[in-house]
Coordinates of all heavy atoms in Angstrom, one line a residue:
M1 N 99.6 85.9 108.0 CA 98.3 86.1 108.5 C 97.7 87.3 107.7 O 98.3 88.3 107.5 CB 98.3 86.4 109.9 CG 96.9 86.7 110.4 SD 96.9 86.6 112.2 CE 96.6 88.4 112.5
T2 N 96.5 87.2 107.3 CA 95.8 88.2 106.5 C 94.9 89.0 107.4 O 94.1 88.4 108.1 CB 95.1 87.6 105.3 OG1 96.0 86.9 104.5 CG2 94.4 88.7 104.5
T3 N 94.9 90.3 107.3 CA 94.0 91.0 108.0 C 92.9 91.5 107.0 O 93.1 91.9 106.0 CB 94.6 92.3 108.6 OG1 95.6 92.0 109.5 CG2 93.7 93.2 109.3
R4 N 91.6 91.3 107.5 CA 90.5 91.5 106.6 C 90.1 93.0 106.6 O 90.1 93.7 107.6 CB 89.3 90.7 107.0 CG 89.5 89.3 106.7 CD 88.2 88.5 106.9 NE 87.2 88.9 105.9 CZ 86.1 88.5 105.7 NH1 85.7 87.4 106.5 NH2 85.3 88.9 104.8
A5 N 89.6 93.5 105.4 CA 89.0 94.8 105.4 C 87.6 94.8 106.0 O 86.9 93.7 105.8 CB 89.0 95.3 104.0
V6 N 87.2 95.8 106.5 CA 85.8 96.0 107.0 C 85.0 97.1 106.2 O 83.8 97.0 106.2 CB 85.7 96.1 108.5 CG1 86.2 94.9 109.3 CG2 86.5 97.4 109.1
S7 N 85.8 98.0 105.7 CA 85.1 99.0 104.9 C 86.1 99.7 104.0 O 87.3 99.6 104.2 CB 84.4 100.0 105.8 OG 85.3 100.8 106.5
V8 N 85.7 100.3 103.0 CA 86.5 101.0 101.9 C 85.8 102.3 101.7 O 84.6 102.4 101.4 CB 86.6 100.3 100.6 CG1 87.5 101.0 99.7 CG2 87.1 98.8 100.9
N9 N 86.5 103.5 101.8 CA 86.0 104.9 101.5 C 87.0 105.5 100.6 O 88.2 105.1 100.6 CB 85.8 105.5 102.8 CG 84.7 104.9 103.6 OD1 83.5 105.0 103.3 ND2 85.1 104.3 104.8
F10 N 86.5 106.5 100.0 CA 87.3 107.3 99.1 C 87.2 108.9 99.4 O 86.2 109.3 99.7 CB 86.9 107.1 97.6 CG 87.2 105.6 97.1 CD1 86.1 104.7 97.3 CD2 88.3 105.2 96.6 CE1 86.3 103.4 96.9 CE2 88.5 103.9 96.2 CZ 87.4 103.0 96.4
D11 N 88.3 109.6 99.1 CA 88.1 111.0 99.0 C 88.6 111.3 97.6 O 88.8 110.4 96.7 CB 88.9 111.8 100.1 CG 90.4 111.5 100.3 OD1 91.0 111.2 99.2 OD2 90.9 111.7 101.2
D12 N 89.0 112.6 97.2 CA 89.3 112.9 95.9 C 90.6 112.3 95.5 O 90.9 112.0 94.3 CB 89.4 114.5 95.8 CG 88.1 115.1 95.9 OD1 87.0 114.5 95.7 OD2 88.0 116.3 96.2
D13 N 91.5 112.0 96.5 CA 92.8 111.6 96.1 C 93.3 110.2 96.6 O 94.4 109.7 96.2 CB 93.9 112.7 96.6 CG 93.7 113.9 96.0 OD1 93.6 114.1 94.9 OD2 93.6 115.0 96.9
A14 N 92.5 109.6 97.5 CA 92.9 108.5 98.2 C 91.8 107.3 98.4 O 90.6 107.8 98.4 CB 93.7 108.7 99.5
M15 N 92.2 106.1 98.6 CA 91.3 105.2 99.1 C 91.7 104.8 100.5 O 92.9 104.6 100.7 CB 91.5 103.8 98.2 CG 90.7 102.7 98.7 SD 90.9 101.2 97.7 CE 92.6 100.9 97.6
W16 N 90.7 104.7 101.4 CA 90.9 104.5 102.7 C 90.2 103.1 103.1 O 89.1 102.9 102.9 CB 90.3 105.6 103.6 CG 90.9 106.9 103.3 CD1 90.4 107.8 102.4 CD2 92.0 107.4 103.9 NE1 91.4 108.9 102.4 CE2 92.4 108.6 103.3 CE3 93.0 106.9 104.8 CZ2 93.5 109.4 103.6 CZ3 94.1 107.7 105.1 CH2 94.3 109.0 104.6
V17 N 91.1 102.2 103.6 CA 90.6 100.8 103.9 C 90.7 100.7 105.5 O 91.8 100.7 106.0 CB 91.5 99.8 103.2 CG1 90.9 98.4 103.6 CG2 91.4 100.0 101.6
A18 N 89.6 100.4 106.1 CA 89.5 100.1 107.5 C 89.7 98.6 107.6 O 89.0 97.8 107.0 CB 88.2 100.6 108.1
L19 N 90.6 98.2 108.5 CA 90.8 96.8 108.7 C 90.3 96.4 110.0 O 90.1 97.1 111.0 CB 92.4 96.6 108.8 CG 93.2 97.1 107.5 CD1 94.6 96.9 107.8 CD2 92.7 96.3 106.3
E20 N 90.0 95.1 110.2 CA 89.4 94.5 111.4 C 90.2 94.7 112.6 O 89.7 94.6 113.7 CB 89.0 93.0 111.1 CG 90.2 92.1 111.0 CD 89.8 90.7 110.7 OE1 88.5 90.4 110.6 OE2 90.5 89.8 110.4
D21 N 91.5 94.9 112.5 CA 92.3 95.1 113.6 C 92.4 96.5 114.2 O 93.1 96.9 115.1 CB 93.8 94.5 113.4 CG 94.5 95.3 112.3 OD1 94.1 96.3 111.9 OD2 95.7 94.9 112.1
G22 N 91.5 97.4 113.6 CA 91.5 98.7 114.0 C 92.4 99.7 113.2 O 92.1 100.9 113.3
R23 N 93.2 99.3 112.4 CA 94.0 100.2 111.6 C 93.2 100.7 110.4 O 92.3 99.9 109.9 CB 95.3 99.5 111.0 CG 96.3 99.2 112.1 CD 97.5 98.4 111.5 NE 97.1 97.0 111.0 CZ 97.8 96.4 110.1 NH1 98.9 96.9 109.6 NH2 97.3 95.3 109.7
T24 N 93.5 101.9 109.8 CA 93.0 102.4 108.6 C 94.3 102.7 107.7 O 95.1 103.4 108.0 CB 92.2 103.6 108.8 OG1 91.1 103.2 109.7 CG2 91.7 104.1 107.6
I25 N 94.2 102.2 106.5 CA 95.3 102.4 105.6 C 94.7 103.3 104.4 O 93.7 103.0 103.9 CB 95.8 101.0 105.0 CG1 96.3 100.2 106.2 CG2 96.9 101.2 103.9 CD1 96.7 98.8 105.8
G26 N 95.6 104.3 104.1 CA 95.3 105.2 102.9 C 96.2 105.0 101.9 O 97.5 105.0 102.1
V27 N 95.8 104.9 100.6 CA 96.8 104.7 99.5 C 96.3 105.8 98.4 O 95.1 105.9 98.2 CB 96.8 103.4 99.0 CG1 97.5 102.5 100.0 CG2 95.5 102.7 98.6
P28 N 97.1 106.3 97.7 CA 96.8 107.2 96.6 C 96.0 106.5 95.5 O 96.4 105.4 95.1 CB 98.2 107.7 96.1 CG 99.2 107.4 97.1 CD 98.7 106.2 97.9
L29 N 95.1 107.1 95.0 CA 94.3 106.5 93.9 C 95.1 106.5 92.7 O 94.8 105.7 91.7 CB 93.0 107.4 93.6 CG 91.9 107.2 94.5 CD1 90.7 108.1 94.2 CD2 91.4 105.7 94.5
A30 N 96.2 107.4 92.5 CA 97.1 107.3 91.4 C 97.7 105.9 91.2 O 98.2 105.6 90.1 CB 98.1 108.4 91.5
W31 N 97.8 105.1 92.3 CA 98.3 103.8 92.2 C 97.5 102.9 91.5 O 97.9 101.8 91.2 CB 98.7 103.3 93.6 CG 99.7 104.0 94.4 CD1 100.5 105.0 93.9 CD2 100.2 103.7 95.6 NE1 101.5 105.3 94.8 CE2 101.3 104.6 95.9 CE3 99.9 102.7 96.5 CZ2 101.9 104.5 97.1 CZ3 100.6 102.6 97.8 CH2 101.6 103.5 98.1
F32 N 96.2 103.2 91.3 CA 95.2 102.4 90.8 C 94.4 103.0 89.7 O 93.3 103.6 90.0 CB 94.2 101.8 91.9 CG 95.0 101.1 93.0 CD1 95.2 101.8 94.2 CD2 95.4 99.8 92.9 CE1 95.8 101.2 95.3 CE2 96.1 99.2 93.9 CZ 96.2 99.9 95.2
P33 N 94.9 103.1 88.5 CA 94.3 103.9 87.5 C 92.8 103.7 87.2 O 92.0 104.6 86.9 CB 95.1 103.7 86.2 CG 96.4 103.2 86.8 CD 96.2 102.5 88.1
R34 N 92.4 102.4 87.3 CA 91.0 102.1 87.0 C 90.1 102.8 88.1 O 89.0 103.1 87.8 CB 90.8 100.6 87.0 CG 91.4 99.9 85.9 CD 91.0 98.4 85.9 NE 91.8 97.7 84.8 CZ 92.3 96.6 85.0 NH1 92.5 96.0 86.2 NH2 93.0 96.1 83.9
L35 N 90.5 102.7 89.4 CA 89.8 103.4 90.4 C 89.9 105.0 90.3 O 88.9 105.6 90.5 CB 90.4 103.0 91.9 CG 90.1 101.6 92.2 CD1 90.8 101.2 93.5 CD2 88.7 101.2 92.2
L36 N 91.0 105.4 89.9 CA 91.2 106.9 89.8 C 90.2 107.4 88.7 O 89.6 108.5 88.9 CB 92.6 107.2 89.3 CG 92.9 108.7 89.1 CD1 92.8 109.5 90.4 CD2 94.4 108.8 88.5
G37 N 90.0 106.7 87.6 CA 89.1 107.1 86.5 C 87.6 106.7 86.8 O 86.8 107.0 85.9
A38 N 87.3 106.0 87.8 CA 86.1 105.5 88.1 C 85.0 106.6 88.8 O 85.5 107.4 89.4 CB 86.0 104.2 89.0
S39 N 83.8 106.3 88.6 CA 82.9 107.2 89.2 C 82.7 106.9 90.6 O 83.1 105.7 91.1 CB 81.4 107.1 88.5 OG 80.9 105.8 88.7
A40 N 82.0 107.7 91.4 CA 81.8 107.3 92.8 C 80.9 106.1 93.0 O 81.2 105.2 93.9 CB 81.1 108.6 93.5
E41 N 80.0 105.9 92.1 CA 79.1 104.7 92.1 C 80.0 103.4 91.8 O 79.7 102.4 92.5 CB 78.0 104.9 91.1 CG 77.0 106.0 91.4 CD 77.5 107.4 91.1 OE1 78.4 107.5 90.3 OE2 76.9 108.3 91.7
E42 N 80.8 103.5 90.8 CA 81.7 102.4 90.4 C 82.6 102.0 91.6 O 82.8 100.9 91.9 CB 82.5 102.7 89.2 CG 81.7 102.7 87.9 CD 82.5 103.1 86.7 OE1 83.2 104.2 86.8 OE2 82.2 102.6 85.6
R43 N 83.2 103.0 92.2 CA 84.1 102.8 93.4 C 83.3 102.2 94.5 O 83.8 101.4 95.2 CB 84.7 104.1 93.9 CG 85.7 104.7 92.9 CD 86.3 105.8 93.4 NE 87.2 106.6 92.5 CZ 87.5 107.9 92.5 NH1 87.1 108.6 93.6 NH2 88.2 108.3 91.6
A44 N 82.2 102.6 94.7 CA 81.3 102.1 95.9 C 80.9 100.7 95.7 O 80.4 100.0 96.7 CB 80.0 103.0 96.1
A45 N 80.9 100.1 94.5 CA 80.6 98.7 94.3 C 81.6 97.7 94.6 O 81.7 96.6 94.0 CB 80.2 98.6 92.7
V46 N 82.4 98.0 95.6 CA 83.5 97.2 96.0 C 82.9 95.9 96.7 O 82.0 96.1 97.5 CB 84.5 97.9 96.9 CG1 83.9 98.4 98.2 CG2 85.7 96.9 97.2
E47 N 83.5 94.7 96.5 CA 83.1 93.5 97.2 C 84.4 93.2 98.1 O 85.4 93.1 97.7 CB 82.9 92.3 96.2 CG 81.7 92.6 95.3 CD 81.6 91.6 94.3 OE1 82.0 90.4 94.5 OE2 81.2 91.9 93.1
I48 N 84.0 93.1 99.4 CA 85.1 92.8 100.4 C 85.1 91.3 100.7 O 84.0 90.8 101.0 CB 85.0 93.6 101.7 CG1 85.0 95.0 101.4 CG2 85.9 93.1 102.7 CD1 84.7 96.0 102.6
S49 N 86.2 90.6 100.5 CA 86.3 89.2 100.7 C 87.4 88.9 101.7 O 88.3 89.8 101.9 CB 86.4 88.4 99.4 OG 87.8 88.5 99.0
P50 N 87.6 87.7 102.1 CA 88.7 87.4 103.0 C 90.2 87.6 102.2 O 91.2 87.6 102.8 CB 88.6 85.9 103.2 CG 87.2 85.6 103.1 CD 86.7 86.6 102.1
F51 N 90.0 87.6 100.9 CA 91.3 87.7 100.1 C 91.6 89.1 99.7 O 92.7 89.3 99.3 CB 91.1 86.9 98.8 CG 90.7 85.5 99.1 CD1 89.4 85.1 98.8 CD2 91.6 84.6 99.6 CE1 89.0 83.7 99.1 CE2 91.2 83.2 99.9 CZ 89.9 82.8 99.7
G52 N 90.7 90.1 99.8 CA 91.0 91.4 99.4 C 89.8 92.2 98.9 O 88.6 91.9 99.4
L53 N 90.0 93.1 97.9 CA 88.9 93.9 97.4 C 88.7 93.6 96.0 O 89.7 93.5 95.3 CB 89.3 95.3 97.6 CG 89.7 95.8 99.0 CD1 90.3 97.2 99.0 CD2 88.6 95.6 100.1
H54 N 87.4 93.6 95.5 CA 87.1 93.4 94.1 C 86.1 94.3 93.6 O 85.1 94.5 94.3 CB 86.7 91.8 94.1 CG 86.2 91.4 92.7 ND1 87.0 91.4 91.6 CD2 85.0 91.2 92.2 CE1 86.4 91.0 90.5 NE2 85.0 91.0 90.8
W55 N 86.3 94.8 92.4 CA 85.4 95.6 91.8 C 85.0 95.0 90.4 O 85.9 95.1 89.4 CB 85.9 97.0 91.4 CG 86.0 98.0 92.7 CD1 85.2 98.8 93.1 CD2 87.1 98.0 93.5 NE1 85.6 99.4 94.1 CE2 86.8 99.0 94.5 CE3 88.3 97.3 93.6 CZ2 87.7 99.3 95.6 CZ3 89.2 97.7 94.6 CH2 88.8 98.5 95.6
A56 N 83.9 94.2 90.3 CA 83.6 93.4 89.1 C 83.5 94.3 87.8 O 83.9 94.1 86.9 CB 82.3 92.6 89.3
G57 N 82.8 95.4 88.0 CA 82.5 96.4 86.9 C 83.8 97.0 86.4 O 83.8 97.6 85.3
L58 N 84.8 97.1 87.2 CA 86.1 97.8 86.8 C 87.2 96.8 86.5 O 88.2 97.1 86.1 CB 86.6 98.7 87.9 CG 85.7 99.8 88.3 CD1 86.2 100.5 89.5 CD2 85.5 100.8 87.2
D59 N 86.9 95.4 86.7 CA 87.9 94.4 86.6 C 89.2 94.8 87.4 O 90.3 94.7 86.9 CB 88.3 94.2 85.1 CG 89.0 92.9 84.9 OD1 88.9 92.0 85.7 OD2 89.9 92.9 83.9
E60 N 89.0 95.1 88.6 CA 90.1 95.4 89.5 C 90.0 94.6 90.8 O 88.9 94.3 91.3 CB 89.9 96.9 89.9 CG 91.0 97.5 90.8 CD 92.3 97.7 90.1 OE1 92.4 98.6 89.3 OE2 93.3 96.8 90.4
D61 N 91.2 94.1 91.1 CA 91.3 93.3 92.4 C 92.5 93.7 93.1 O 93.6 94.1 92.6 CB 91.6 91.9 92.0 CG 90.4 91.2 91.4 OD1 89.4 90.9 92.1 OD2 90.3 91.1 90.1
I62 N 92.4 93.9 94.5 CA 93.5 94.4 95.3 C 93.6 93.4 96.5 O 92.6 93.2 97.2 CB 93.3 95.7 95.9 CG1 93.2 96.8 94.7 CG2 94.4 96.3 96.8 CD1 92.8 98.3 95.1
S63 N 94.7 92.8 96.5 CA 95.0 91.9 97.6 C 95.4 92.5 98.9 O 96.1 93.5 98.9 CB 96.1 90.9 97.2 OG 96.5 90.0 98.3
L64 N 94.9 92.0 100.0 CA 95.3 92.6 101.3 C 96.3 91.7 102.1 O 96.4 91.9 103.4 CB 94.1 92.9 102.1 CG 93.2 93.9 101.6 CD1 91.8 94.0 102.5 CD2 93.8 95.3 101.4
S65 N 96.8 90.8 101.5 CA 97.7 89.7 102.2 C 99.1 90.4 102.4 O 99.5 91.3 101.9 CB 97.8 88.5 101.5 OG 98.4 88.7 100.1

């Protein structure tokens, strides 16, 4: 079973993904070099789908399964 993301936020060092089941998961940006080097505007352009997270401008996809 896949839990869907409902929002994505960033601080200087991490990506925070809020899930529909109420959990929030934080992961270091160092794990995702494209996101680490991206501007705030590029990071904010995330598309949330049932399959995960997608940044078209960065060619980055993260599965949440």
Side-chain angles (χ1 to χ4, degrees):
M1 183 170 105
T2 301
T3 299
R4 291 190 63 177
V6 293
S7 68
V8 181
N9 295 290
F10 296 89
D11 61 26
D12 291 338
D13 301 308
M15 174 175 62
W16 299 93
V17 180
L19 304 175
E20 66 184 354
D21 66 4
R23 293 179 292 161
T24 300
I25 299 171
V27 293
L29 284 176
W31 290 3
F32 305 100
R34 290 182 186 133
L35 293 175
L36 180 63
S39 68
E41 293 80 18
E42 289 171 318
R43 291 178 188 164
V46 62
E47 298 171 28
I48 299 173
S49 78
F51 307 105
L53 310 174
H54 174 69
W55 289 264
L58 298 172
D59 192 30
E60 182 72 73
D61 294 284
I62 300 173
S63 173
L64 296 178
S65 58

